Amino acid sequence: MSEQIQNIPITKPWLGEAEAEAARRAIMSGWVTQGTEVAAFEQEFAAYVGAKYACAVSNCTTALHLALLAVGVQPKDEVITVSHSYIATANSIRYCGAIPVFVDIEPQTYNINPLLIEDAISDRTRAFLVVHQMGMPCDLKAILDIAHRYELPVIEDAACAIASEILWDGQWEKIGKPHGDIACFSFHPRKVITTGDGGMITTNNPEWDQQFRLWRQHGMSVPDTVRHGAKQVIFESYPILGYNYRMTDIQAAVGREQLKRLPEIVERRRYLAQRYHQQLADIPGLKLPTESAWSKSNWQSYCVRLPDICDQRQVMQVMLDAGIATRRGIMCAHREPAYQMETWSCGSDLLSKSEQAQDKSIILPLFHQMTEQEQAQAVEVLKKVCLV
Ligand SMILES: *Cc1c(COP(=O)(O)O)cnc(C)c1O
């Protein structure tokens, strides 16, 4: 009897008949781009996170671009953020012609270190773009305190953080309420719920919400949904420069089903993360991700820092040979050629914690359908490589 090697992926979206049926509903309706499904998804999403407004867009990168434009970021402005993030975070600042100013992270949470923010502020600073990395809430209380003192807007890159929570005035609240000025979410398949690709912008500011709706549809004065139902001929105009950043109704229909599954997905992820905590606790030198007393992660990713003696690439290769997919720690934008060729300095000499996190961490498999046996298999192999 040959033993079959079971390959364990890093992640797998949880999609099924409900999503397929929803996509079919949108397709058979004959209206497939932004329409009633998008409007319903926005309402349901806003209600879920507790925001006044939610505006659906094509992905989180376009969401971040519009958020930065809304708070007035202009060419040559500086935006304080982290290098240690998916490259889209810093790229969105550059789409505005602005300069990302990188601040180092706290090693335990992989999030921006609030103690380092004030030193990075200059008279050209226009906004903060902070990330809830891998679903772990960043220290918004401390960040907002600084932002208020300097009268600067705060945008939350919550790409990974749907269903993550933060303790706010004694209550657990969802990330995206938002606690800063604007929060941006992603529905890429690598995140907790997916629409294939997709994004959402939440805010409590009605003017910004209106602005997002104009921008996402070419700056068109009359949306096509209105013209379509009108009894009179309407000519649209284009008062501002807009973009095509729409979500389709097919995606939104899928997203509405994913939102229904979300509580179950997060419960399962928290359960599996707890098991990783327990089962990996006794590996000497291995550092586990930790929530603060005021934060609850959705565990979009479970990232561990390897013991000093371990080589990242070697550990990942041994695990891959055993059928277990891993990923290296979150990248640092300042190390990429697309950033190194720029003439502006982004503070890259002060990012040692970010660089160490990229070089010494790995992300372990974690997804809704992962079984306890699969998890045990991943733990066993990691233990073996770390203990030699
Ligand atoms: C995935 C991700 C993005 C980009 O999201 P898309 O929807 O793929 O554009 C931005 N920021 C962070 C932190 C991410 O993880």
Side-chain angles (χ1 to χ4, degrees):
M1 206 171 73
S2 69
E3 202 179 317
Q4 195 171 349
I5 295 187
Q6 248 207 322
N7 287 322
I8 305 174
I10 186 77
T11 192
K12 199 191 278 184
W14 190 34
L15 293 161
E17 287 300 334
E19 285 80 2
E21 201 44 56
R24 182 186 158 81
R25 177 180 75 221
I27 290 164
M28 295 312 284
S29 80
W31 188 280
V32 286
T33 191
Q34 179 184 291
T36 52
E37 295 284 352
V38 165
F41 185 34
E42 289 171 339
Q43 276 187 7
E44 288 157 13
F45 192 94
Y48 179 79
V49 297
K52 282 211 179 99
Y53 307 101
C55 178
V57 287
S58 49
N59 55 64
C60 185
T61 310
T62 54
L64 292 169
H65 183 199
L66 297 188
L68 289 162
L69 290 177
V71 301
V73 172
Q74 301 209 349
K76 302 278 190 304
D77 283 346
E78 292 178 356
V79 176
I80 291 180
T81 190
V82 285
S83 171
H84 184 261
S85 183
Y86 186 59
I87 199 164
T89 307
N91 281 354
S92 68
I93 295 168
R94 293 180 61 185
Y95 298 160
C96 303
I99 299 167
V101 174
F102 296 136
V103 170
D104 213 0
I105 57 159
E106 304 172 316
Q108 315 86 304
T109 63
Y110 301 91
N111 280 322
I112 193 165
N113 185 340
L115 299 175
L116 304 175
I117 290 177
E118 256 184 289
D119 277 349
I121 296 175
S122 81
D123 52 12
R124 281 154 71 194
T125 306
R126 197 75 187 81
F128 296 170
L129 173 52
V130 297
V131 183
H132 303 297
Q133 196 55 259
M134 297 180 275
M136 185 73 78
C138 65
D139 192 350
L140 279 175
K141 273 259 156 71
I143 292 161
L144 288 177
D145 178 57
I146 302 166
H148 291 156
R149 271 193 282 124
Y150 288 85
E151 296 180 19
L152 289 166
V154 173
I155 297 165
E156 298 170 55
D157 181 342
C160 303
I162 182 161
S164 298
E165 291 173 60
I166 191 160
L167 192 62
W168 211 257
D169 303 329
Q171 305 261 26
W172 285 102
E173 297 186 338
K174 296 272 183 342
I175 291 297
K177 195 172 181 243
H179 300 89
D181 294 282
I182 302 171
C184 300
F185 293 87
S186 171
F187 306 117
H188 182 272
R190 182 71 184 85
K191 320 299 183 190
V192 170
I193 58 171
T194 187
T195 58
D197 255 313
M200 193 70 81
I201 318 174
T202 61
T203 186
N204 294 321
N205 181 323
E207 276 124 55
W208 285 341
D209 183 64
Q210 278 309 310
Q211 191 73 46
F212 298 145
R213 288 164 198 283
L214 263 179
W215 271 327
R216 74 175 171 181
Q217 196 168 19
H218 306 284
M220 198 192 287
S221 62
V222 185
D224 51 4
T225 40
V226 173
R227 266 191 301 161
H228 192 74
K231 294 274 177 286
Q232 269 179 324
V233 172
I234 302 177
F235 288 170
E236 84 285 13
S237 70
Y238 299 85
I240 57 160
L241 175 67
Y243 307 88
N244 181 354
Y245 284 176
R246 281 178 303 229
M247 176 184 276
T248 69
D249 257 21
I250 305 172
Q251 291 167 298
V254 170
R256 295 176 68 191
E257 295 305 320
Q258 287 276 281
L259 210 49
K260 290 182 198 160
R261 292 189 199 263
L262 184 56
E264 212 183 316
I265 292 175
V266 176
E267 193 185 319
R268 179 75 185 164
R269 283 180 168 276
R270 288 187 173 145
Y271 167 76
L272 291 169
Q274 275 323 114
R275 282 174 57 96
Y276 267 140
H277 290 339
Q278 285 157 10
Q279 298 181 10
L280 298 173
D282 58 352
I283 301 179
L286 187 79
K287 295 212 178 60
L288 306 180
T290 40
E291 291 172 317
S292 307
W294 45 262
S295 68
K296 282 191 206 163
S297 183
N298 63 1
W299 300 106
Q300 181 268 338
S301 287
Y302 193 90
C303 186
V304 298
R305 187 167 322 229
L306 296 170
D308 291 339
I309 48 158
C310 290
D311 176 70
Q312 182 193 48
R313 190 182 285 265
Q314 194 199 343
V315 170
M316 291 175 69
Q317 189 62 54
V318 171
M319 295 194 69
L320 191 61
D321 292 343
I324 298 153
T326 60
R327 294 287 180 272
R328 67 172 177 175
I330 299 292
M331 63 176 296
C332 292
H334 76 274
R335 286 170 142 182
E336 293 302 317
Y339 279 75
Q340 294 195 325
M341 70 189 189
E342 291 301 326
T343 48
W344 34 262
S345 155
C346 37
S348 52
D349 47 334
L350 300 168
L351 300 171
S352 62
K353 300 280 191 299
S354 301
E355 294 185 356
Q356 283 159 20
Q358 179 181 358
D359 297 342
K360 293 300 289 184
S361 304
I362 64 169
I363 295 171
L364 302 177
L366 180 62
F367 49 93
H368 183 81
Q369 309 92 316
M370 190 182 192
T371 63
E372 282 84 346
Q373 291 89 315
E374 287 175 321
Q375 192 177 28
Q377 201 177 322
V379 167
E380 189 190 313
V381 181
L382 181 61
K383 270 194 176 158
K384 233 179 256 166
V385 265
C386 283
L387 292 174
V388 286

